[in-house]
């Protein structure tokens, strides 16, 4: 009986994690909003509001592990570095920021 309960709980946990694994468009929206919030330059905010999503989409790769995702955004070509983010439970947890890897 304990094995059945343990197996059932494991299946439920895996189902909940996979159902709440955020998709790429949610990540692009999140990183664009975060960048706009951190920017104090009005011109930069305007550019991000107009073209930010396509800019971030071009520089981002996603590794999907069913129960969570790892997003890597690479802007080292423009001197901004790389950012790695964990996506789980419809939330994003930065593992490294753009500022740390300059």
């Amino acid at each position: 009986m304990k094995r059945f309960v343990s197996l059932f709980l494991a299946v439920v946990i895996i189902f909940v994690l996979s159902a709440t694994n955020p998709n790429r468009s949610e990540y692009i929206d999140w990183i664009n909003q975060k960048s706009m919030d951190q920017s104090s330059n009005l011109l930069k905010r305007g550019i991000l509001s107009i073209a930010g999503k396509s800019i971030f989409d071009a520089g981002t790769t996603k590794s999907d592990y069913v129960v969570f995702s790892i997003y890597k955004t690479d802007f080292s070509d423009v001197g901004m570095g790389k950012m790695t983010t964990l996506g789980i439970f419809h939330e994003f947890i930065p593992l490294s920021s753009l500022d740390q890897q300059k």
Side-chain angles (χ1 to χ4, degrees):
M1 185 66 172
K2 281 187 176 183
R3 282 188 178 173
F4 176 73
V5 171
S6 298
L7 181 62
F8 179 74
L9 284 175
V11 168
V12 168
I13 290 170
I14 290 172
F15 175 76
V16 168
L17 285 169
S18 65
T20 60
N21 186 2
N23 61 32
R24 184 181 177 97
S25 65
E26 290 174 303
Y27 173 74
I28 299 300
D29 290 340
W30 174 81
I31 194 167
N32 188 45
Q33 187 63 43
K34 184 176 178 179
S35 296
M36 285 183 11
D37 291 345
Q38 291 179 348
S39 175
S40 60
N41 184 339
L42 189 58
L43 180 61
K44 186 176 177 183
R45 287 179 130 201
I47 291 170
L48 286 173
S49 69
I50 294 170
K53 290 182 182 181
S54 60
I55 292 169
F56 289 118
D57 191 33
T60 300
T61 58
K62 175 185 178 184
S63 300
D64 191 354
Y65 297 100
V66 180
V67 294
F68 66 91
S69 296
I70 301 289
Y71 296 91
K72 293 183 180 181
T73 304
D74 185 3
F75 290 113
S76 56
D77 293 341
V78 292
M80 290 178 59
K82 299 178 184 179
M83 181 175 186
T84 304
T85 306
L86 171 69
I88 191 167
F89 291 119
H90 288 297
E91 296 292 326
F92 299 100
I93 303 164
L95 301 176
S96 67
S97 69
L98 291 169
D99 297 332
Q100 290 176 346
Q101 295 189 1
K102 278 187 178 177

Coordinates of all heavy atoms in Angstrom, one line a residue, residues 46-92:
G46 N 11.8 52.6 -24.6 CA 11.0 52.7 -25.8 C 11.3 51.6 -26.8 O 10.5 51.0 -27.4
I47 N 12.6 51.4 -27.0 CA 13.1 50.4 -27.9 C 12.6 49.0 -27.4 O 12.2 48.2 -28.2 CB 14.6 50.4 -28.1 CG1 15.0 51.7 -28.8 CG2 15.1 49.2 -28.8 CD1 16.5 52.0 -28.9
L48 N 12.8 48.7 -26.1 CA 12.4 47.4 -25.6 C 10.8 47.2 -25.7 O 10.4 46.1 -26.0 CB 12.8 47.3 -24.1 CG 14.3 47.1 -23.9 CD1 14.6 47.1 -22.4 CD2 14.7 45.8 -24.5
S49 N 10.1 48.3 -25.6 CA 8.6 48.1 -25.7 C 8.2 47.8 -27.1 O 7.2 47.1 -27.3 CB 7.9 49.4 -25.1 OG 8.1 50.5 -26.0
I50 N 9.0 48.4 -28.1 CA 8.6 48.1 -29.5 C 9.2 46.8 -30.0 O 8.5 46.0 -30.6 CB 9.1 49.3 -30.3 CG1 8.3 50.6 -30.0 CG2 8.9 49.0 -31.8 CD1 8.9 51.8 -30.6
A51 N 10.5 46.6 -29.8 CA 11.2 45.5 -30.4 C 11.8 44.5 -29.5 O 12.5 43.6 -29.9 CB 12.3 46.0 -31.3
G52 N 11.5 44.7 -28.2 CA 12.2 43.8 -27.2 C 11.9 42.4 -27.3 O 12.8 41.5 -27.2
K53 N 10.6 42.0 -27.6 CA 10.3 40.6 -27.6 C 11.0 39.9 -28.8 O 11.5 38.8 -28.6 CB 8.8 40.5 -27.8 CG 8.0 40.8 -26.5 CD 6.5 40.6 -26.7 CE 5.8 41.0 -25.4 NZ 4.4 40.8 -25.5
S54 N 11.1 40.5 -29.9 CA 11.8 39.9 -31.0 C 13.3 39.8 -30.8 O 14.0 38.9 -31.2 CB 11.5 40.6 -32.3 OG 11.9 42.0 -32.3
I55 N 13.9 40.9 -30.1 CA 15.3 40.9 -29.7 C 15.6 39.7 -28.8 O 16.5 39.0 -29.0 CB 15.7 42.2 -29.1 CG1 15.6 43.3 -30.2 CG2 17.1 42.1 -28.5 CD1 15.8 44.7 -29.6
F56 N 14.8 39.6 -27.7 CA 15.0 38.5 -26.8 C 14.7 37.1 -27.4 O 15.4 36.2 -27.0 CB 14.2 38.7 -25.5 CG 14.7 39.9 -24.7 CD1 13.9 41.0 -24.4 CD2 15.9 39.8 -24.1 CE1 14.3 42.0 -23.7 CE2 16.4 40.9 -23.4 CZ 15.6 42.0 -23.1
D57 N 13.8 37.0 -28.2 CA 13.4 35.8 -28.9 C 14.6 35.3 -29.7 O 14.9 34.1 -29.7 CB 12.2 35.9 -29.7 CG 11.7 34.5 -30.2 OD1 11.8 33.6 -29.4 OD2 11.1 34.5 -31.3
A58 N 15.3 36.2 -30.4 CA 16.4 35.8 -31.3 C 17.6 35.3 -30.5 O 18.4 34.5 -30.9 CB 16.8 37.0 -32.1
G59 N 17.8 35.8 -29.3 CA 19.0 35.5 -28.5 C 18.7 34.4 -27.4 O 19.6 34.2 -26.6
T60 N 17.6 33.8 -27.4 CA 17.2 32.8 -26.4 C 17.1 31.4 -26.9 O 16.5 31.2 -27.9 CB 15.9 33.2 -25.7 OG1 16.0 34.5 -25.2 CG2 15.5 32.3 -24.6
T61 N 17.6 30.5 -26.1 CA 17.4 29.0 -26.4 C 16.8 28.4 -25.2 O 17.0 28.8 -24.0 CB 18.8 28.3 -26.7 OG1 19.6 28.5 -25.5 CG2 19.4 28.8 -27.9
K62 N 16.0 27.4 -25.4 CA 15.2 26.7 -24.4 C 15.6 25.3 -24.3 O 15.6 24.6 -25.4 CB 13.7 26.9 -24.6 CG 12.9 26.1 -23.6 CD 11.4 26.2 -23.9 CE 10.6 25.4 -23.0 NZ 9.1 25.4 -23.3
S63 N 15.9 24.7 -23.2 CA 16.1 23.3 -23.0 C 14.9 22.8 -22.1 O 14.8 23.2 -20.9 CB 17.4 23.0 -22.2 OG 18.5 23.5 -23.0
D64 N 14.0 22.0 -22.7 CA 12.8 21.6 -22.0 C 13.0 20.2 -21.4 O 13.4 19.3 -22.1 CB 11.6 21.5 -23.0 CG 10.3 21.3 -22.3 OD1 10.3 21.1 -21.1 OD2 9.3 21.4 -23.0
Y65 N 12.8 20.1 -20.1 CA 13.0 18.9 -19.3 C 11.7 18.4 -18.8 O 11.6 17.7 -17.7 CB 14.0 19.1 -18.2 CG 15.4 19.4 -18.7 CD1 15.8 20.7 -18.7 CD2 16.2 18.5 -19.2 CE1 17.1 21.1 -19.2 CE2 17.5 18.8 -19.7 CZ 17.9 20.1 -19.7 OH 19.1 20.4 -20.2
V66 N 10.6 18.7 -19.4 CA 9.2 18.3 -19.1 C 8.7 18.9 -17.8 O 7.7 19.6 -17.8 CB 9.0 16.8 -19.1 CG1 7.5 16.4 -18.8 CG2 9.4 16.1 -20.4
V67 N 9.4 18.7 -16.7 CA 9.0 19.3 -15.4 C 9.5 20.7 -15.1 O 9.1 21.4 -14.2 CB 9.3 18.3 -14.2 CG1 8.5 17.0 -14.4 CG2 10.8 18.0 -14.2
F68 N 10.5 21.1 -15.9 CA 11.1 22.4 -15.8 C 11.8 22.7 -17.1 O 12.1 21.8 -17.9 CB 12.0 22.6 -14.6 CG 13.3 21.8 -14.6 CD1 14.4 22.3 -15.2 CD2 13.3 20.5 -14.2 CE1 15.6 21.6 -15.3 CE2 14.5 19.8 -14.2 CZ 15.6 20.3 -14.8
S69 N 12.2 24.0 -17.3 CA 12.9 24.4 -18.5 C 14.1 25.3 -18.1 O 14.0 26.0 -17.1 CB 12.0 25.2 -19.4 OG 11.0 24.4 -19.9
I70 N 15.1 25.2 -18.9 CA 16.3 26.1 -18.7 C 16.3 27.0 -19.9 O 16.4 26.6 -21.1 CB 17.6 25.3 -18.6 CG1 17.6 24.4 -17.4 CG2 18.8 26.3 -18.5 CD1 17.6 25.0 -16.0
Y71 N 16.3 28.3 -19.7 CA 16.4 29.3 -20.7 C 17.7 30.0 -20.7 O 18.2 30.4 -19.6 CB 15.3 30.4 -20.6 CG 13.9 29.8 -20.7 CD1 13.2 29.4 -19.6 CD2 13.3 29.7 -21.9 CE1 11.9 28.8 -19.7 CE2 12.0 29.2 -22.1 CZ 11.3 28.8 -20.9 OH 10.1 28.3 -21.1
K72 N 18.4 30.1 -21.8 CA 19.7 30.8 -21.9 C 19.6 31.9 -22.9 O 19.2 31.6 -24.1 CB 20.8 29.8 -22.3 CG 21.1 28.8 -21.3 CD 22.2 27.8 -21.7 CE 22.4 26.8 -20.5 NZ 23.5 25.9 -20.8
T73 N 19.8 33.1 -22.5 CA 19.7 34.3 -23.3 C 21.2 34.8 -23.5 O 21.8 35.1 -22.5 CB 18.8 35.3 -22.7 OG1 17.5 34.8 -22.4 CG2 18.7 36.5 -23.6
D74 N 21.6 34.9 -24.7 CA 23.0 35.2 -25.0 C 23.1 36.5 -25.8 O 22.6 36.6 -26.9 CB 23.6 34.1 -25.9 CG 25.1 34.3 -26.1 OD1 25.7 35.3 -25.6 OD2 25.7 33.5 -26.8
F75 N 23.6 37.5 -25.1 CA 23.9 38.8 -25.7 C 25.3 39.2 -25.7 O 25.7 40.4 -25.6 CB 23.0 39.9 -25.1 CG 21.6 39.8 -25.4 CD1 20.7 39.4 -24.4 CD2 21.1 40.0 -26.6 CE1 19.3 39.3 -24.6 CE2 19.8 39.8 -26.9 CZ 18.9 39.5 -25.9
S76 N 26.2 38.2 -25.7 CA 27.7 38.5 -25.6 C 28.2 39.2 -26.9 O 29.2 39.9 -26.8 CB 28.4 37.2 -25.3 OG 28.1 36.3 -26.3
D77 N 27.5 39.0 -28.0 CA 27.9 39.7 -29.2 C 27.7 41.2 -29.1 O 28.4 42.0 -29.7 CB 27.0 39.2 -30.4 CG 27.3 37.8 -30.7 OD1 28.4 37.3 -30.3 OD2 26.5 37.2 -31.4
V78 N 26.8 41.7 -28.3 CA 26.6 43.1 -28.1 C 27.1 43.6 -26.8 O 26.8 44.7 -26.3 CB 25.1 43.5 -28.2 CG1 24.6 43.3 -29.7 CG2 24.2 42.7 -27.3
G79 N 27.9 42.8 -26.1 CA 28.6 43.2 -24.9 C 27.7 43.1 -23.6 O 28.1 43.7 -22.6
M80 N 26.6 42.4 -23.6 CA 25.7 42.3 -22.5 C 25.9 41.0 -21.7 O 25.4 40.9 -20.6 CB 24.3 42.5 -22.8 CG 23.9 43.9 -23.3 SD 22.2 44.1 -23.8 CE 21.3 43.6 -22.3
G81 N 26.6 40.1 -22.2 CA 26.8 38.8 -21.5 C 25.7 37.8 -21.7 O 24.9 37.9 -22.7
K82 N 25.6 36.8 -20.8 CA 24.6 35.7 -20.9 C 23.8 35.7 -19.7 O 24.2 36.1 -18.6 CB 25.3 34.4 -21.1 CG 26.2 34.3 -22.4 CD 26.9 33.0 -22.5 CE 27.8 32.9 -23.7 NZ 28.5 31.7 -23.8
M83 N 22.6 35.2 -19.8 CA 21.7 35.0 -18.6 C 21.1 33.6 -18.7 O 20.6 33.2 -19.8 CB 20.6 36.0 -18.6 CG 19.7 35.9 -17.4 SD 18.5 37.3 -17.4 CE 17.7 37.0 -15.9
T84 N 21.1 32.9 -17.6 CA 20.5 31.5 -17.5 C 19.4 31.6 -16.5 O 19.6 32.1 -15.4 CB 21.6 30.5 -17.1 OG1 22.7 30.5 -18.0 CG2 21.0 29.1 -17.1
T85 N 18.2 31.1 -16.9 CA 17.0 31.2 -16.0 C 16.3 29.8 -16.0 O 16.2 29.1 -17.0 CB 16.1 32.2 -16.6 OG1 16.8 33.4 -16.8 CG2 14.9 32.4 -15.7
L86 N 15.9 29.4 -14.8 CA 15.1 28.2 -14.6 C 13.6 28.6 -14.6 O 13.2 29.5 -13.9 CB 15.4 27.6 -13.2 CG 14.6 26.5 -12.7 CD1 14.8 25.2 -13.6 CD2 14.9 26.2 -11.2
G87 N 12.8 27.9 -15.4 CA 11.4 28.1 -15.5 C 10.7 26.9 -14.8 O 10.8 25.8 -15.3
I88 N 9.9 27.2 -13.8 CA 9.2 26.1 -13.0 C 8.0 26.7 -12.3 O 8.1 27.9 -11.8 CB 10.2 25.4 -12.1 CG1 9.5 24.1 -11.5 CG2 10.7 26.3 -11.0 CD1 10.5 23.2 -10.8
F89 N 6.9 26.0 -12.2 CA 5.7 26.5 -11.6 C 5.2 27.9 -12.1 O 4.8 28.7 -11.4 CB 5.9 26.7 -10.0 CG 6.0 25.3 -9.3 CD1 7.2 25.1 -8.6 CD2 5.0 24.4 -9.4 CE1 7.3 23.9 -8.0 CE2 5.2 23.2 -8.7 CZ 6.3 22.9 -8.0
H90 N 5.3 28.1 -13.4 CA 5.0 29.4 -14.1 C 5.8 30.5 -13.5 O 5.3 31.7 -13.6 CB 3.5 29.6 -14.0 CG 2.7 28.8 -14.9 ND1 2.8 28.8 -16.3 CD2 1.7 27.9 -14.6 CE1 1.9 27.9 -16.8 NE2 1.3 27.3 -15.8
E91 N 6.9 30.3 -13.0 CA 7.8 31.3 -12.4 C 9.2 31.2 -13.1 O 9.5 30.1 -13.6 CB 8.0 31.2 -10.9 CG 6.7 31.4 -10.1 CD 6.2 32.8 -10.2 OE1 7.1 33.8 -10.2 OE2 5.0 33.0 -10.2
F92 N 10.0 32.2 -13.0 CA 11.3 32.2 -13.6 C 12.3 32.6 -12.5 O 12.1 33.6 -11.8 CB 11.4 33.2 -14.8 CG 10.5 32.8 -15.9 CD1 9.3 33.5 -16.0 CD2 10.8 31.8 -16.7 CE1 8.4 33.1 -17.0 CE2 9.9 31.4 -17.7 CZ 8.7 32.1 -17.9

